[in-house]
Amino acid sequence: MNQFLRFIFLLILLPNIIYSQDGSNIRYVKSEDLNQNLIGKFVHFDFYNRSFLAKKIDTIELKINQKLIKFIEVRKDNGHNNWFSGQSLISEDKTLKISKFQIRIFDAKKIYVTAFLDHLKNNKIFKSELINLFIPRNKIVEILVDSKQAEITKILSYAAIGCTCAQWFDKNKKGENEYFYLEPLNKNLINANKLWDGNNLPLTVKVTGNLISENNYPEYFTKQYLYKGGEKGKIFRYNKIEVLKK
């Protein structure tokens, strides 16, 4: 009888053991439950079939630099300790890796994202870039959200210095000016880069978002900018903005 009771107890306890997320920093959201609160979040996508517990690994074709590339899901998910950084997409030839996506905006049919793309050689990253693309919603069964992602709020002033470089700055811990490029998450936000009219200084904004690159070109840079000696820099992408001084 005691053995039977122990067996029943284990049957009751087993689902809690399997599906508990005690060590996880992933929040799971069904595709149909996508909402405005996920705009700006770092995510992974499960395509076609739910890959929880790595029961089903799928592939997806994404257009990268005008070329269709097939990616394979990498899911390190044991149902208990599931880390966002352990998930990714790897190209079939193992030369490209998408470490995460950021949701920018969505509609009934598509999710518009930025892919954080690493170029690999001998399994090591030699180049990283940000690629904007869209993904049909009917290909996504579940969204894996980085539940520990913390937004940052900064008060930045415009420098108006004579270079094609990052112009927004604040003071770092050493008291030195730290410069940033500012990018709005989507077109529904005020574009900070259009606030300076050539004369209106001081110009100060309060922005909330995330640093998405330590050393890259902002997405509004064109070949014309680069030909003029455009410099790489830190890119801060904001989803909230308040103009404090104009």
Side-chain angles (χ1 to χ4, degrees):
M1 184 65 179
N2 288 338
Q3 288 183 344
F4 177 75
L5 289 175
R6 284 197 294 268
F7 177 71
I8 295 298
F9 177 77
L10 286 172
L11 285 179
I12 295 171
L13 187 62
L14 186 59
N16 292 325
I17 294 173
I18 292 176
Y19 293 105
S20 64
Q21 302 296 317
D22 291 344
S24 176
N25 64 350
I26 299 174
R27 179 162 58 94
Y28 300 87
V29 177
K30 292 181 181 178
S31 180
E32 60 267 26
D33 293 332
L34 176 63
N35 58 68
Q36 295 293 319
N37 292 329
L38 294 185
I39 289 179
K41 297 296 185 184
F42 296 140
V43 302
H44 294 289
F45 297 110
D46 260 352
F47 298 101
Y48 302 112
N49 298 282
R50 189 168 184 257
S51 299
F52 188 70
L53 298 176
K55 290 181 178 179
K56 178 69 176 178
I57 302 300
D58 292 296
T59 62
I60 183 72
E61 284 191 337
L62 299 174
K63 185 173 282 190
I64 305 294
N65 295 326
Q66 304 303 313
K67 183 179 179 181
L68 274 178
I69 306 291
K70 181 179 282 189
F71 287 88
I72 303 167
E73 291 180 352
V74 175
R75 293 288 174 259
K76 296 180 180 179
D77 190 336
N78 63 10
H80 186 68
N81 294 307
N82 314 309
W83 301 106
F84 186 84
S85 60
Q87 324 304 318
S88 63
L89 294 176
I90 299 289
S91 63
E92 279 192 316
D93 62 4
K94 300 190 184 331
T95 62
L96 298 173
K97 173 184 176 181
I98 296 177
S99 60
K100 61 187 175 184
F101 296 93
Q102 184 182 36
I103 297 178
R104 305 195 69 173
I105 202 166
F106 64 89
D107 57 31
K109 294 185 177 180
K110 299 174 182 176
I111 302 178
Y112 296 84
V113 299
T114 294
F116 290 70
L117 183 70
D118 296 325
H119 294 256
L120 307 176
K121 188 174 183 179
N122 298 324
N123 294 319
K124 294 184 178 180
I125 299 171
F126 69 89
K127 175 185 172 185
S128 296
E129 62 178 323
L130 305 175
I131 302 291
N132 291 329
L133 49 88
F134 69 83
I135 301 173
R137 291 186 63 172
N138 61 5
K139 294 184 178 181
I140 298 169
V141 68
E142 193 168 50
I143 303 167
L144 285 62
V145 184
D146 181 356
S147 64
K148 301 299 183 183
Q149 176 187 348
E151 291 183 336
I152 304 166
T153 296
K154 289 183 172 291
I155 295 178
L156 302 173
S157 297
Y158 192 73
I161 51 182
C163 68
T164 308
C165 56
Q167 298 272 10
W168 294 93
F169 71 94
D170 66 356
K171 299 287 186 181
N172 61 23
K173 293 180 179 179
K174 296 180 180 179
E176 302 167 338
N177 286 347
E178 186 174 15
Y179 290 88
F180 300 87
Y181 288 109
L182 283 184
E183 285 185 359
L185 181 66
N186 55 53
K187 294 181 180 179
N188 295 331
L189 295 162
I190 294 172
N191 189 337
N193 302 297
K194 294 182 178 181
L195 292 174
W196 187 52
D197 63 10
N199 192 44
N200 57 327
L201 294 178
L203 172 59
T204 305
V205 296
K206 181 180 179 181
V207 289
T208 300
N210 293 98
L211 184 70
I212 62 168
S213 180
E214 288 281 354
N215 189 38
N216 213 325
Y217 297 113
E219 64 182 15
Y220 62 82
F221 264 31
T222 61
K223 288 184 178 180
Q224 182 180 3
Y225 273 105
L226 298 180
Y227 292 154
K228 290 182 178 179
E231 298 177 12
K232 292 183 178 181
K234 295 180 179 180
I235 301 174
F236 190 89
R237 181 174 289 171
Y238 59 89
N239 54 39
K240 296 177 186 175
I241 180 171
E242 179 184 353
V243 180
L244 301 180
K245 292 181 183 179
K246 186 178 179 182

